[in-house]
Amino acid sequence: MEQKNGSSFTGFILLGFSDRPQLERVLFVVILIFYLLTLLGNTTIIALSRLDPHLHTPMYYFLSNLSFLDLCYTTSTVPQLLVHLRGTDKSISFGGCVAQLFISLGLGGTECILLGVMAFDRYAAICRPLHYMVIIHPRLCALMASASWFIGFANSSLQTVLVFLVPLCGRNKIDHFFCEFPQLLKLACVDITGNESEIFFAAVITLLIPVALITFSYGQIVRAVLRIKSAAGQRKAFGTCGSHLTVVSLFYGTAIYAYLQPSNNHSQDKGKFVSLFYTIVTPMANPFIYTLRNKDVMGAIKKVFCRGYDSR
């Protein structure tokens, strides 16, 4: 990375919401509450998936993976954001910025692929119920989950290297609350058309291929459900998929808006609030979306709490 006038490049300044001090105080309280709810909700999902034998199924194996992802993804940005909202020092070291970009991109890419895998799981459960446990066996579950993590972080490695190969010429003020690659590219002092094309291509693969798998899976699911003559059977089938579709819509909607739309099409402030949504709101909402209408999870919660109460 090039430097300016031979000076040492020590890190970046994350401007965040520093131009709105009143908003910073409100955001600190709101984000802290959301973060605590994220920790509580996703930890509960992971614990229940381990403690209740009835939840030792492929669906809840992938769901616990998703909850762990959400915990890590939120923790990669939110604690530092809370510190910056309460203080005047908005700096982040160069190494810290590289690590934050690599981890957040890796976890985000992994979640994209994992949501596609979960759609395939729902397809097998509804469209191939008699062969479900043969198709989605434990070894395949572990393989698909591992592949999601590998592809997500392989893509992150590529994009992180591409971003930090761009000369920044000493420019170090990022108009965002964390190190996100579209904002880092804006600091470049050279033509970045080629870099943007490469990163856009990688983002298309990471986002749109899982979307295609999800679309295909749910197209087959709808056809299979419509062939069910019982209205109760149709409601049950759609109920098992509704939570996943809601999470997919929240995650992909905001991610596609943030990464696949030309940066000059929306204001910087709007982009920050969209980023807040998919880094904080979505991970907080996911466990509640999956549990509020899920009888298996609610039953597991009652059993675990009743067991703990009885042991006293």
Side-chain angles (χ1 to χ4, degrees), residues 39-89:
L39 296 179
L40 174 64
N42 286 290
T43 303
T44 300
I45 293 289
I46 295 169
L48 289 175
S49 299
R50 295 298 182 96
L51 294 174
D52 192 335
H54 292 96
L55 301 185
H56 292 175
T57 63
M59 175 180 173
Y60 294 103
Y61 173 78
F62 293 128
L63 181 56
S64 63
N65 262 268
L66 182 65
S67 292
F68 180 68
L69 267 172
D70 283 338
L71 279 176
C72 296
Y73 186 61
T74 305
T75 302
S76 70
T77 57
V78 171
Q80 182 189 60
L81 172 59
L82 291 172
V83 170
H84 285 181
L85 289 172
R86 290 296 293 167
T88 55
D89 183 10

Side-chain angles (χ1 to χ4, degrees), residues 91-135:
S91 63
I92 181 172
S93 67
F94 176 77
C97 189
V98 173
Q100 189 178 68
L101 178 66
F102 172 73
I103 293 170
S104 61
L105 275 177
L107 293 170
T110 302
E111 184 157 345
C112 286
I113 298 163
L114 190 62
L115 287 171
V117 168
M118 291 173 74
F120 175 71
D121 171 66
R122 292 299 81 210
Y123 158 76
I126 293 174
C127 299
R128 299 286 186 272
L130 299 179
H131 303 92
Y132 176 63
M133 295 310 298
V134 176
I135 298 171

Side-chain angles (χ1 to χ4, degrees), residues 140-193:
L140 180 61
C141 288
L143 180 62
M144 290 193 294
S146 301
S148 299
W149 284 87
F150 176 78
I151 295 170
F153 277 92
N155 173 65
S156 175
S157 300
L158 172 63
Q159 296 202 47
T160 302
V161 169
L162 288 174
V163 168
F164 285 102
L165 283 177
V166 175
L168 305 185
C169 305
R171 300 168 64 183
N172 69 338
K173 290 186 178 180
I174 302 174
D175 192 10
H176 214 285
F177 61 85
F178 75 106
C179 290
E180 194 175 36
F181 76 78
Q183 307 308 317
L184 283 163
L185 288 178
K186 290 182 179 179
L187 303 182
C189 54
V190 295
D191 180 34
I192 57 169
T193 304

Side-chain angles (χ1 to χ4, degrees), residues 178-228:
F178 75 106
C179 290
E180 194 175 36
F181 76 78
Q183 307 308 317
L184 283 163
L185 288 178
K186 290 182 179 179
L187 303 182
C189 54
V190 295
D191 180 34
I192 57 169
T193 304
N195 302 80
E196 286 182 324
S197 299
E198 291 170 342
I199 292 172
F200 180 82
F201 179 71
V204 166
I205 292 175
T206 307
L207 285 169
L208 296 190
I209 288 182
V211 167
L213 177 60
I214 291 168
T215 303
F216 169 78
S217 297
Y218 277 101
Q220 297 300 311
I221 287 170
V222 169
R223 289 179 59 189
V225 171
L226 291 178
R227 287 198 293 265
I228 299 174

